Amino acid sequence: MCKSSTDNEDSAKNDSTQLPAALWEALCVGLVVLTLWLSIGAAAAPRGPVFALECVFVAGVLGGRLVSLIAKKTEVPLPPLVGMLGAGILLRNVPYLRTYVGEAVDAGSSSALRTCALALILARAGLGLDAAALKRLRWAAARLAAVPCLVEAGVVAVIASRPFVFDFPAGWACLLGFVVAAVSPAVVVPSLLALRDAGYGTATGIPTLVVAAAALDDVLSLAGFGICLPFAVSSAARQGVLPSTAWAAAVRAPVEIVAGLFGAWLGSLVLRRFVVERRPSALRAASALMLVALALTFSLKALGFSGAAALAALALAFLAGSSYKAAGGVLGELWSSVAQPLLFSLLGAAVDLDVIRGRDAGLGVALIVISGAFRFAATSNAVRGFSLKPKERLFVALAWLPKATVQAAVGAVALDAADSSGEKERARVVLTVAVLAIILTAPVGAIAISVAGPRLLTKDEVAEEAPSRV
């Protein structure tokens, strides 16, 4: 008895000398920053690109935790990505932070890291796709990807070409349309996965429908942007293997779909061979899956098929087979602890509020609201007739509103390629509207999905979609 009492006292004494978790994490972060600074040098010093990435990541983690705390206290289901996105925006636009962090983030490194994080979440989503639901809803996914995108792009193009709005020529108007019309898989996919893991909508296959359509939507939007760019900017050099000709522009979208699916099929052969010969653990399976997914993603982007890259990462995990199901847990942990705060804080850090000007901002907000209303109606009608209830169609329409990934990636492309003063002026308007689309729709859409999901979708007994393959 006395010995037990003594042991308890010693344990309590040892516990009292331990560092609080927050202080321990701060100490670890400080040691990492110091080590990188001493080993790399100026690049890891303040105003250096490595130091900027460290600050962006830490700010993303803190922003996510702050929003999670607010959500817990208020019982409002706010997704952490709202805080991560906001933290990045602050780092880019608050004067002192902008100088030392926001402007120091290397654009190439930021783009590459965002691509890696997006490939990870798409691969994780691919592992959870329900083959039976995908087969049943394949036409719904095609319609969901194409109809809202084309409707919104057309509405934006018509409005932007009006003399009392932006007075854009046809090429610029269509280019702006495809910039605005793209849905953000970075926002939509993790939000749908959270609902799927909680068991919402799995019986009707809504998570599978939305996740698959999000990848196809990106293919169509980026293909449309690539088609319009040389018609809008005279000096725009078309990169990749497709020539700058009318016939190449006409077949760009189907070529990207075929390229993405073919690359995923080849990658799946490699992964299945790896399983047969190595019989890997969950960690090794996740490592192999991500290595092949990243190789596919960056290879397709280098060939000029940016839209196909997202589709390839999603399809690769789906085709890899049930042997890689165990990798989902590892990828989920990596996403929540590293990739998610990095992705959304970098997306926020890419938003420069200085490009927003008064008249353009007002017209841009009106343009996004009007085109968003058309998109909402088009989305609801696109999934009509596929055994979805009215409230489920309403949820899909809400889930199809967020924009961020494509807008951050291509918003400034036209400005970089423009030569004449007229082209630069129009390109600045495109960038302004792209920034406004991210600010207005990404946080609102993420909150709408989190709030509306439990209210509009049916919660099923099974918390995950069926893993069966066809």
Side-chain angles (χ1 to χ4, degrees):
M1 182 72 177
C2 294
K3 183 178 180 181
S4 176
S5 176
T6 304
D7 290 342
N8 290 335
E9 290 177 1
D10 292 340
S11 177
K13 185 178 180 180
N14 291 334
D15 290 341
S16 66
T17 61
Q18 290 181 353
L19 291 175
L23 185 58
W24 175 251
E25 290 179 351
L27 177 61
C28 291
V29 169
L31 289 174
V32 170
V33 172
L34 178 62
T35 302
L36 290 175
W37 188 353
L38 294 176
S39 59
I40 298 176
R47 294 194 183 186
V50 176
F51 178 80
L53 288 175
E54 294 166 351
C55 292
V56 167
F57 174 72
V58 172
V61 172
L62 295 178
R65 290 184 179 180
L66 177 61
V67 170
S68 297
L69 181 62
I70 294 173
K72 184 178 180 180
K73 295 292 185 181
T74 61
E75 297 185 354
V76 176
L78 297 173
L81 67 86
V82 174
M84 299 168 187
L85 190 66
I89 293 175
L90 288 177
L91 289 178
R92 180 59 185 266
N93 295 282
V94 173
Y96 183 81
L97 296 176
R98 179 189 183 101
T99 302
Y100 282 88
V101 179
E103 293 180 342
V105 175
D106 180 70
S109 299
S110 175
S111 176
L113 289 172
R114 294 200 307 266
T115 299
C116 292
L118 186 59
L120 187 151
I121 191 59
L122 287 171
R124 183 186 169 216
L127 290 174
L129 287 180
D130 182 351
L134 187 59
K135 183 178 180 180
R136 186 178 75 252
L137 298 170
R138 60 188 183 278
W139 296 117
R143 283 173 54 174
L144 181 58
V147 174
C149 176
L150 295 176
V151 167
E152 186 172 22
V155 170
V156 170
V158 169
I159 296 175
S161 63
R162 299 302 90 191
F164 54 86
V165 185
F166 296 133
D167 196 20
F168 274 5
W172 279 97
C174 293
L175 181 141
L176 178 61
F178 282 109
V179 169
V180 173
V183 74
S184 173
V187 178
V188 172
V189 172
S191 300
L192 264 294
L193 291 183
L195 290 174
R196 185 204 69 187
D197 293 342
Y200 289 104
T202 54
T204 52
I206 287 178
T208 290
L209 168 65
V210 175
V211 168
L216 292 173
D217 177 275
D218 264 15
V219 172
L220 184 59
S221 300
L222 289 170
F225 178 84
I227 291 169
C228 296
L229 184 61
F231 291 100
V233 184
S234 57
S235 62
R238 294 292 300 278
Q239 299 179 351
V241 297
L242 289 182
S244 182
T245 59
W247 70 264
V251 302
R252 186 173 187 85
V255 166
E256 290 219 18
I257 292 175
V258 171
L261 293 177
F262 180 71
W265 176 72
L266 288 180
S268 69
L269 295 181
V270 174
L271 290 175
R272 289 182 178 181
R273 186 68 178 178
F274 177 73
V275 167
V276 171
E277 294 188 355
R278 300 291 181 180
R279 302 198 178 281
S281 62
L283 179 60
R284 290 188 176 183
S287 301
L289 177 60
M290 282 310 302
L291 283 174
V292 177
L294 291 175
L296 268 178
T297 299
F298 284 104
S299 297
L300 288 168
K301 289 191 71 172
L303 292 173
F305 298 136
S306 296
L311 179 61
L314 181 72
L316 171 69
F318 177 69
L319 296 173
S322 57
S323 301
Y324 282 84
K325 275 290 184 180
V330 178
L331 296 183
E333 182 64 28
L334 183 60
W335 164 255
S336 60
S337 60
V338 179
Q340 186 183 29
L342 190 60
L343 172 61
F344 289 106
S345 56
L346 285 174
L347 277 175
V351 176
D352 188 357
L353 299 182
D354 284 349
V355 304
I356 299 177
R357 294 176 294 180
R359 179 180 180 275
D360 293 339
L363 291 173
V365 170
L367 177 69
I368 293 167
V369 171
I370 295 171
S371 64
F374 277 90
R375 181 186 186 89
F376 188 90
T379 303
S380 181
N381 284 302
V383 294
R384 186 185 297 273
F386 290 99
S387 302
L388 298 183
K389 300 176 182 177
K391 64 179 184 179
E392 292 171 335
R393 296 203 305 270
L394 175 60
F395 171 79
V396 173
L398 289 172
W400 221 232
L401 292 177
K403 308 171 190 300
T405 317
V406 173
Q407 289 73 20
V410 304
V413 170
L415 183 59
D416 294 338
D419 280 340
S420 66
S421 59
E423 288 180 347
K424 288 184 179 295
E425 183 63 25
R426 296 187 189 105
R428 288 190 184 94
V429 173
V430 171
L431 180 57
T432 296
V433 176
V435 169
L436 289 171
I438 296 173
I439 295 172
L440 294 176
T441 66
V444 173
I447 293 171
I449 294 172
S450 298
V451 172
R455 290 167 172 78
L456 299 178
L457 301 180
T458 302
K459 185 171 185 178
D460 307 301
E461 294 181 2
V462 180
E464 290 188 356
E465 295 183 61
S468 58
R469 295 280 193 264
V470 292

